[in-house]
Amino acid sequence: MSQPPDARPGASPRRWVALVYIGLAQLMIVLDMTIVNIALPSAQKDLGISDGDRQWVITAYTLAFGSLLLLGGRIADYTGRRRAFLIGLLGFA
């Protein structure tokens, strides 16, 4: 059985499917951050907070996001990467 010259032994053709899913997940993260950055000035005006307080909101959001990302990684260690990824995508959507 002949393999293409760029194929490595043991490389699965499904790796491209995984790349598509990872790209979609990255797109969701970027969209989330973009929406937050766009909505924050109007929320600041409506709540009557200062620019300094707005920075605290950004910091709190970033810390919460990073903490949940670490927690999701730990959950993926226990339940499996694929299951945790799909549950996370469904929860986010």
Side-chain angles (χ1 to χ4, degrees):
M1 182 170 166
S2 176
Q3 290 185 346
D6 61 342
R8 291 174 298 182
S12 171
R14 294 183 60 198
R15 68 184 185 268
W16 297 110
V17 175
L19 182 64
V20 168
Y21 284 122
I22 292 168
L24 287 173
Q26 185 65 34
L27 175 68
M28 292 174 82
I29 290 171
V30 170
L31 284 175
D32 181 48
M33 294 304 246
T34 303
I35 290 169
V36 168
N37 285 329
I38 289 172
L40 202 53
S42 62
Q44 177 186 3
K45 187 178 107 181
D46 290 345
L47 296 173
I49 60 176
S50 67
D51 287 337
D53 290 337
R54 183 174 69 173
Q55 184 59 44
W56 279 107
V57 170
I58 293 170
T59 301
Y61 180 81
T62 304
L63 284 173
F65 182 80
S67 299
L68 289 173
L69 198 60
L70 288 172
L71 178 64
R74 187 67 174 165
I75 290 171
D77 288 341
Y78 286 123
T79 63
R81 293 179 302 213
R82 185 176 188 179
R83 179 180 290 165
F85 183 72
L86 291 175
I87 290 170
L89 279 179
L90 289 174
F92 187 79

